[in-house]
Amino acid sequence: RPGILINFIMNKRVTITSLYILFLMPVGAIALACASFLLHYGQKTVAAITFVVSVICFVLIIVRHIRFVRWMRREAATAETAERFRAEQAEVHVAELQHYIDELEKSAHALRESRERFRHAAYHDALTGLGNRNKLLESAAECLRNTAENAQFAVIILDLNRFKTVNDSLGHFIGDRLLIMVGERLVNSIKDLG
């Protein structure tokens, strides 16, 4: 995983830089102390060389620190860019998922509506909208299940006399209109009864 590798490299670099500074700081301090000691006892050349060594140690520490700070800034910028990219990708994925969820909800709604239409078509006449033979059989079975043993109920069967003559002489369109009007009157008369 890249995150673990980056953390390992960063920790290793921090450790190396810390050791580098921890090593050079005492060397520089000792060299500076030696230069002061040698200068005090009159050994100017050796004191100058020792002083130069201490200055070089401190300069190396400063240069190493500056490099380390620059490296840390680059790493932070890279990590920030990567995090921003991951956040943008996450937002894209969330938007895609929301789109799919919306599509699934639309499909589920359309499926429920389709199921209701098929159920209605299976139990109702397409022309009049009244219950058909399947609806009659289901309603009668339910009445038989829900009534007491000695309870009574009735089924009324209606027939339109000479309907075939109307259909054949005036056409199917008029025959269909007649069936629709009779159906509407039956529904209205049942509503009037209560």
Side-chain angles (χ1 to χ4, degrees):
R1 293 176 14 192
I4 294 173
L5 182 62
I6 289 172
N7 285 340
F8 174 75
I9 291 170
M10 285 184 66
N11 289 339
K12 194 154 184 98
R13 188 143 189 180
V14 168
T15 304
I16 290 171
T17 301
S18 298
L19 289 175
Y20 190 78
I21 291 172
L22 286 174
F23 173 73
L24 285 180
M25 186 70 81
V27 169
I30 290 170
L32 191 60
C34 287
S36 162
F37 178 76
L38 291 171
L39 187 62
H40 179 47
Y41 287 103
Q43 297 182 0
K44 293 181 181 179
T45 309
V46 177
I49 293 172
T50 309
F51 179 75
V52 168
V53 168
S54 67
V55 169
I56 289 172
C57 286
F58 287 125
V59 166
L60 287 174
I61 290 172
I62 292 169
V63 167
R64 183 67 174 187
H65 179 71
I66 290 171
R67 282 184 181 172
F68 178 71
V69 168
R70 286 180 184 160
W71 176 81
M72 286 297 286
R73 287 181 182 156
R74 278 193 311 271
E75 289 298 316
T78 302
E80 184 179 330
T81 302
E83 184 61 32
R84 192 176 312 119
F85 177 74
R86 281 193 296 274
E88 289 170 0
Q89 290 298 318
E91 288 176 19
V92 167
H93 290 305
V94 167
E96 287 175 358
L97 287 174
Q98 187 60 46
H99 172 72
Y100 291 131
I101 289 170
D102 293 343
E103 291 297 318
L104 284 173
E105 286 175 353
K106 287 177 188 176
S107 296
H109 181 68
L111 185 61
R112 280 191 300 272
E113 286 179 351
S114 176
R115 187 175 54 228
E116 289 302 317
R117 281 194 306 273
F118 281 126
R119 179 165 174 70
H120 187 269
Y123 288 99
H124 294 83
D125 181 63
L127 182 64
T128 63
L130 297 175
N132 61 13
R133 181 180 291 132
N134 292 333
K135 180 72 171 171
L136 171 70
L137 293 174
E138 185 180 277
S139 297
E142 188 175 333
C143 282
L144 288 172
R145 276 193 306 269
N146 293 336
T147 56
E149 250 181 67
N150 296 328
Q152 296 178 353
F153 64 91
V155 176
I156 300 172
I157 298 175
L158 299 175
D159 186 25
L160 295 177
N161 291 335
R162 293 186 286 277
F163 176 71
K164 184 171 176 7
T165 307
V166 171
N167 220 12
D168 291 342
S169 63
L170 299 175
H172 289 284
F173 179 75
I174 299 297
D176 289 348
R177 293 297 305 152
L178 178 63
L179 285 175
I180 292 170
M181 289 173 59
V182 169
E184 288 173 353
R185 286 187 182 182
L186 284 172
V187 168
N188 288 336
S189 66
I190 290 172
K191 285 181 184 174
D192 291 341
L193 290 175

